[in-house]
Amino acid sequence: NIQRLVQAASQFGSRSFRRKTYSTLFALLACTGLRLSEAIRLRFDDITPDGLVIRRTKFRKSRLVPLHETAQAGLERYPKVPRPYAPFDDQVFVSLRRKPLLHHDVDTAFQTAVDKIDLQREPGLPHPTPHSLRHTFAVRALEACPDDRDRITKHMLALSAYLGHSKVSDTY
């Protein structure tokens, strides 16, 4: 479903810039588990060979988020696009209005993509949101965890730090 969602975003409207912005953003959220606020505040200087430097987190902590080589390659291709739209700003994700993306704009684009792929949800469950990609990332990371109790504990601590949680109980 994530691949279909990213594909739907890559077909938004008639402007290739909007297509690239949302397909790149949704793919980045899905493969990193970033908070939406962290992703839309990314600066070009935050993209390093070692991963993403997340400077302004929910809890005012910084962390390094390693990237898979395919995610790194996608981000390396993307920054060439917004420069004509916002040449004096180093913000990665900007709107066609040449301003940083707003939560509301991303929520609307996400819902448009969800509707386009006709993503079904179980009765009684909430509608998917961009934050759902963070939850999906965390669940998949936990599913990949070994069954050994000590290894699960270490895995949870690592995942908690990776997600930028202030307490491991928030990850649980």
Side-chain angles (χ1 to χ4, degrees):
N1 284 336
I2 291 173
Q3 188 174 12
R4 290 174 50 223
L5 183 85
V6 170
Q7 179 65 29
S10 73
Q11 298 169 357
F12 280 168
S14 61
R15 301 210 181 199
S16 64
F17 175 68
R18 185 170 191 265
R19 294 174 180 176
K20 288 186 182 287
T21 296
Y22 285 109
S23 61
T24 302
L25 177 62
F26 296 162
L28 183 68
L29 292 172
C31 75
T32 61
L34 290 178
R35 293 177 182 95
L36 177 56
S37 60
E38 295 168 343
I40 62 177
R41 284 195 305 247
L42 279 174
R43 305 269 182 199
F44 288 111
D45 290 344
D46 297 335
I47 303 170
T48 72
D50 296 325
L52 298 176
V53 178
I54 307 301
R55 299 180 197 279
R56 294 177 271 171
T57 70
K58 183 176 178 180
F59 301 104
R60 305 286 188 249
K61 295 189 302 186
S62 295
R63 70 184 192 280
L64 178 67
V65 174
L67 292 175
H68 186 271
E69 61 194 32
T70 56
Q72 186 80 27
L75 282 175
E76 286 172 5
R77 283 190 308 271
Y78 178 76
K80 296 175 187 167
V81 176
R83 292 281 185 202
Y85 286 90
F88 304 112
D89 192 0
D90 66 343
Q91 193 90 24
V92 174
F93 296 109
V94 295
S95 71
L96 292 172
R97 297 179 309 268
R98 300 178 179 167
K99 303 285 184 196
L101 289 179
L102 301 174
H103 277 263
H104 175 74
D105 295 337
V106 176
D107 287 338
T108 300
F110 189 85
Q111 195 56 53
T112 300
V114 165
D115 292 346
K116 185 171 184 152
I117 65 171
D118 195 27
L119 185 63
Q120 301 295 314
R121 65 180 176 92
E122 297 294 322
L125 291 180
H127 291 281
T129 66
H131 196 72
S132 303
L133 297 173
R134 180 173 168 84
H135 286 226
T136 300
F137 174 86
V139 168
R140 287 189 176 162
L142 292 174
E143 289 174 340
C145 182
D147 288 337
D148 176 77
R149 184 180 196 101
D150 290 336
R151 293 175 75 188
I152 290 171
T153 300
K154 290 177 182 174
H155 191 85
M156 286 299 292
L157 288 171
L159 181 59
S160 182
Y162 183 92
L163 291 172
H165 288 160
S166 61
K167 299 177 287 194
V168 73
S169 61
D170 294 337
T171 308
Y172 278 104

